[in-house]
Amino acid sequence: MYLSDLLASGMPLEEATELLMNVMWTCLGAFLVFFMQAGFTIVEAGFTRAKNTGNIIMKNVFDFVLGSIFFYIIGFAIMFGPDVAGIIGSGGFFAPTSLADGAGMMHGLPIGVFMIFHTVFCATSATIVSGAMAERTKFSAYLIYSACISIFIYPVTGHWIWSDGWLSRIGFHDFAGSAAVHMVGGICSIIGAKILGARIGKFDKNGKVNAIPGHNILMGALGVFILWFCWFGFNCGSTTGATTNLGDIAMTTNLSTVVATLTVLIITWVRYGKPDVSMTLNGSLAGLVAVTAGCDVVSDYGAMAIGLIAGFVVVFVVEFLDKVLKIDDPVGAVAVHGGCGLTGTILTAVFCKSTVLEEMGMSRLHFIGIQVLGVAATAAYVAVMAVIVFTVINKTVGLRVSEVEEVEGLDLHEHGMSAYANFRLHDDR
């Protein structure tokens, strides 16, 4: 409806103007979050080998394609349908628009606006796993997983956190998705990568880590800049309204990111003798992920503290996965999204402004307890479901390609083409 239509329906001018501004802002945020798919694609492609670039493109495209379809017909109803015991939604299957009120609204927005906003968030959670399982996963198996996370995993914990679920009721705070989106994707990533196994050559017979460099660090950097830019839509857009605190959210988002980036630069310079480019770029993403839960309730200095801690988390989780757990994560998705998503959600309570605690009517210690409970419950559910999903896929269609396919590249064997036609690639591609 146009402004004139709203006014003709009897809506006051101020109310109609506010509604249209909220619609425009929420749509802009949703469109920026959608463009994060491009950022994830470019980061993953740049951080991995050229012989798998086409496969990575296809996985990221179909994360959004399948996520959109299955979230529409099933996932949205589970996430936002009428609540059952604080656990799951129970209505709107195959007809999500039926959940709108008589005026076609849901949570203060036209149902279509509300749906597209949450659709792009669902797709973001699904696409995180692509990087952790890159370079050795069957495309058919990945498509099945991508559908499953949009049906069985993300919508359930999303209901707990962002709808009428039990975590929402007790005061759990995850403003834009450190836990609901990123930690969920990160936990699915570590389960998937563990069951799948490491890439050929990642570890020698003694378990020593062998670096497998990405083929285009410039591409990876461009992807990080795209994600950084779109993250303002991710966090600021989560107001779902044209509010006066948009600048505050943008500042906390940016400050956490720059501090995390600087922190990783210093850590890698000290530990490795030179500032590590790919790790520093992941430091930027670590700061973004960590502050996402509390970007609306922490101060500027609180955001900087979160970024500082996230910088340490991303470096040492990457090392722990490589050296201790022997889990191969080509792009650092588990550390960035899982480790920093979990940490940032808890740190929301640690660095929450005192005025916000007063408004919530709880002590800081109580708030910390709620946040810890929330991430523990979410992590437990996601881990169990991910184990089931990946195990079933592995035992049926199989998760992993053959050794020949992995060595020669997934572009050739899975898609019958090369992303770099007429370019001569190095033997290790």
Side-chain angles (χ1 to χ4, degrees):
M1 299 176 70
Y2 293 98
L3 177 61
S4 58
D5 298 321
L6 294 174
L7 296 176
S9 70
M11 184 178 291
L13 176 60
E14 289 185 0
E15 185 178 337
T17 302
E18 180 182 1
L19 173 60
L20 289 178
M21 290 180 66
N22 292 344
V23 166
M24 288 188 291
W25 176 247
T26 304
C27 282
L28 176 60
F31 302 154
L32 285 170
V33 175
F34 165 71
F35 195 58
M36 291 175 78
Q37 293 294 132
F40 282 120
T41 302
I42 298 172
V43 167
E44 183 181 347
F47 283 5
T48 53
R49 289 168 289 186
K51 63 184 177 181
N52 301 308
T53 300
N55 176 259
I56 287 165
I57 292 169
M58 289 291 282
K59 287 192 301 177
N60 281 273
V61 167
F62 277 89
D63 277 325
F64 189 77
V65 169
L66 296 179
S68 295
I69 292 170
F70 287 105
F71 189 70
Y72 178 84
I73 63 177
I74 300 175
F76 189 83
I78 292 174
M79 190 164 174
F80 293 107
D83 175 67
V84 177
I87 301 298
I88 196 170
S90 62
F93 296 98
F94 297 92
T97 55
S98 66
L99 296 174
D101 61 21
M105 305 286 284
M106 190 170 189
H107 292 274
L109 291 169
I111 184 67
V113 176
F114 188 76
M115 287 172 59
I116 191 60
F117 186 78
H118 283 282
T119 296
V120 294
F121 273 66
C122 176
T124 298
S125 186
T127 207
I128 290 167
V129 184
S130 175
M133 299 177 66
E135 301 201 290
R136 71 269 201 210
T137 305
K138 286 184 179 178
F139 184 60
S140 58
Y142 189 81
L143 294 181
I144 297 169
Y145 147 75
S146 187
C148 287
I149 191 175
S150 303
I151 299 171
F152 304 117
I153 300 177
Y154 174 82
V156 174
T157 53
H159 181 81
W160 298 354
I161 297 168
W162 282 341
S163 187
D164 300 321
W166 68 279
L167 285 177
S168 175
R169 294 174 187 174
I170 65 173
F172 182 75
H173 188 88
D174 184 10
F175 181 68
S178 288
V181 177
H182 296 282
M183 190 183 76
V184 167
I187 291 173
C188 288
S189 295
I190 192 171
I191 300 296
K194 178 62 177 178
I195 293 175
L196 182 63
R199 291 169 291 174
I200 296 171
K202 176 63 178 180
F203 303 104
D204 65 19
K205 62 181 180 180
N206 298 317
K208 181 182 177 182
V209 180
N210 296 316
I212 303 178
H215 82 280
N216 193 329
I217 199 68
L218 175 60
M219 186 184 293
L222 176 60
V224 168
F225 276 118
I226 290 173
L227 289 170
W228 194 331
F229 170 69
C230 292
W231 225 285
F232 293 114
F234 201 93
N235 286 1
C236 298
S238 291
T239 60
T240 62
T243 61
T244 57
N245 67 334
L246 293 178
D248 297 331
I249 295 171
M251 281 303 301
T252 55
T253 299
N254 194 61
L255 285 170
S256 174
T257 307
V258 296
V259 170
T261 307
L262 178 60
T263 301
V264 175
L265 170 76
I266 295 171
I267 293 172
T268 58
W269 208 333
V270 171
R271 287 181 66 81
Y272 311 145
K274 295 182 183 296
D276 187 281
V277 180
S278 60
M279 187 74 83
T280 301
L281 292 172
N282 265 339
S284 302
L285 300 181
L288 289 163
V289 169
V291 79
T292 292
C295 57
D296 64 322
V297 296
V298 300
S299 66
D300 290 348
Y301 284 104
M304 294 170 75
I306 289 173
L308 176 68
I309 295 169
F312 281 91
V313 169
V314 70
V315 172
F316 290 104
V317 170
V318 166
E319 292 189 2
F320 183 74
L321 290 171
D322 276 349
K323 298 178 180 179
V324 179
L325 298 183
K326 305 300 180 184
I327 293 177
D328 181 14
D329 178 1
V331 303
V334 175
V336 169
H337 300 280
C340 294
L342 184 154
T343 304
T345 305
I346 296 173
L347 292 178
T348 296
V350 175
F351 295 107
C352 178
K353 290 182 285 189
S354 299
T355 53
V356 175
L357 289 173
E358 292 173 4
E359 293 172 3
M360 296 169 65
M362 66 174 70
S363 68
R364 189 174 303 280
L365 188 60
H366 183 202
F367 190 20
I368 292 172
I370 289 174
Q371 296 297 99
V372 171
L373 173 63
V375 297
T378 301
Y381 172 79
V382 174
V384 170
M385 290 303 298
V387 167
I388 294 171
V389 167
F390 284 121
T391 300
V392 170
I393 295 173
N394 196 36
K395 297 295 184 182
T396 52
V397 299
L399 274 175
R400 188 163 187 144
V401 299
S402 69
E403 182 176 343
V404 171
E405 290 171 326
E406 182 177 346
V407 171
E408 294 184 354
L410 303 188
D411 286 4
L412 175 63
H413 288 276
E414 292 274 25
H415 308 286
M417 51 77 70
S418 171
Y420 296 95
N422 302 319
F423 283 79
R424 181 177 178 182
L425 303 178
H426 293 290
D427 289 340
D428 61 0
R429 295 173 174 83

